Amino acid sequence: LCNLFSTLLIWSIVVLKKVLGHRVSLRFHYHIWLVLLLSLTAVLIPVGMTNSFLIGRVVDEITQNHEITADSTQPAPDMPDDTWKYDIAEITEKTNQSHAGKIFEAIWLLGTIGVLGYYFLGSRRVKRIQRFSEPVDEQIQKIFGTCCKSVGVKQLVQLRQSDQIDSPMSFGYRQAYVFLPTCILLQFSEREFGYIISHELNHIKHKDIWLNYVICFMQAVYWINPFVWWAFSKMQCDRE
């Protein structure tokens, strides 16, 4: 039921964005996706993950409804000879439904663990990039300091270069980093470097790194719904 609601909400947001078009700001096109993120998060807070959206939970609800129907079709007390047949059928059916629910829950759990494991390996790769990165030259560091002041970043951010990446990136939940690919250090002017660095600093200023962690977790929880993955990819495109 939660997956159905989230899918309907995603398409409602898509239609709203399409209708409004250029009549609203780019910031609105990005922030409207936060409604989806908040709704997916809110479902997990009061009732817990295992009771909110698992397919197995839906199967259990169907089972309960079926039990009520089965009880209404039980033979009358004056038919004792055939009662055992209905009892065996009911027990068998409830067992099958219970097994189906457990299978679906196990599939969901394995998928969630798999996605989280994938993101964990990605974070380890970023750690390796950080470990083997090098400081930039003094001129680029000076541009970086100017950009930090103009963007208004108050926390300490380190600028590093790495030959293991192809595009600039920001990372870090305790200590923030901005990584620049070594291959581009000689390709851009000071003004272009200013734009690149300011873009990454804005991600840090607006806490986009923390938001990425939440998105990764939600993608793991709702891995079974491809529309959630698609919506988050569109959200990230609108943010850029």
Side-chain angles (χ1 to χ4, degrees):
L1 293 179
C2 184
N3 279 296
L4 177 61
F5 171 77
S6 62
T7 301
L8 293 175
L9 180 58
I10 289 169
W11 287 110
S12 299
I13 292 174
V14 171
V15 171
L16 179 62
K17 286 165 56 66
K18 193 72 174 179
V19 171
L20 294 178
H22 298 292
R23 290 191 288 271
V24 295
S25 65
L26 295 176
R27 187 177 296 274
F28 174 86
H29 280 281
Y30 167 62
H31 284 162
I32 191 65
W33 290 113
L34 296 179
V35 175
L36 172 66
L37 186 61
L38 290 174
S39 67
L40 295 177
T41 305
V43 171
L44 307 180
I45 295 174
V47 293
M49 288 185 294
T50 58
N51 294 328
S52 58
F53 53 85
L54 295 181
I55 298 179
R57 191 67 182 180
V58 177
V59 174
D60 290 340
E61 291 177 2
I62 296 174
T63 303
Q64 293 173 3
N65 293 334
H66 180 79
E67 290 175 15
I68 297 174
T69 304
D71 290 342
S72 64
T73 58
Q74 289 289 335
D78 58 347
M79 300 176 60
D81 294 339
D82 294 334
T83 302
W84 65 273
K85 297 180 181 179
Y86 291 94
D87 290 342
I88 293 176
E90 182 181 355
I91 292 172
T92 302
E93 190 163 0
K94 283 198 284 188
T95 301
N96 292 338
Q97 293 286 357
S98 178
H99 287 169
K102 291 179 179 178
I103 290 173
F104 280 122
E105 289 184 5
I107 292 173
W108 171 84
L109 184 60
L110 288 174
T112 301
I113 293 174
V115 176
L116 290 175
Y118 173 80
Y119 285 131
F120 176 76
L121 293 177
S123 69
R124 299 304 300 173
R125 177 178 179 271
V126 174
K127 286 291 186 181
R128 286 196 297 272
I129 293 173
Q130 172 191 339
R131 188 180 303 116
F132 295 105
S133 62
E134 300 176 352
V136 297
D137 61 45
E138 185 177 349
Q139 184 62 29
I140 297 179
Q141 188 65 48
K142 183 179 179 181
I143 298 172
F144 180 71
T146 302
C147 291
C148 286
K149 293 180 181 179
S150 62
V151 172
V153 175
K154 298 181 180 180
Q155 68 182 105
L156 179 63
V157 183
Q158 292 190 28
L159 179 65
R160 310 282 292 181
Q161 62 174 318
S162 173
D163 57 4
Q164 300 182 43
I165 57 176
D166 299 320
S167 60
M169 61 180 293
S170 52
F171 173 80
Y173 54 91
R174 293 180 180 175
Q175 170 66 62
Y177 293 88
V178 172
F179 297 108
L180 296 178
T182 303
C183 59
I184 72 169
L185 295 181
L186 300 177
Q187 298 179 5
F188 297 100
S189 64
E190 292 185 6
R191 185 177 182 181
E192 290 171 326
F193 268 120
Y195 290 141
I196 294 172
I197 293 172
S198 295
H199 178 83
E200 297 302 324
L201 289 174
N202 271 295
H203 284 314
I204 296 174
K205 179 182 178 180
H206 295 127
K207 310 299 181 183
D208 289 338
I209 296 175
W210 285 98
L211 186 60
N212 282 342
Y213 293 141
V214 177
I215 290 175
C216 289
F217 177 74
M218 288 300 157
Q219 285 179 319
V221 171
Y222 294 91
W223 67 269
I224 203 167
N225 189 340
F227 293 109
V228 171
W229 285 71
W230 177 82
F232 282 142
S233 68
K234 295 295 292 182
M235 177 183 178
Q236 291 172 330
C237 288
D238 288 340
R239 182 178 64 192
E240 295 295 327

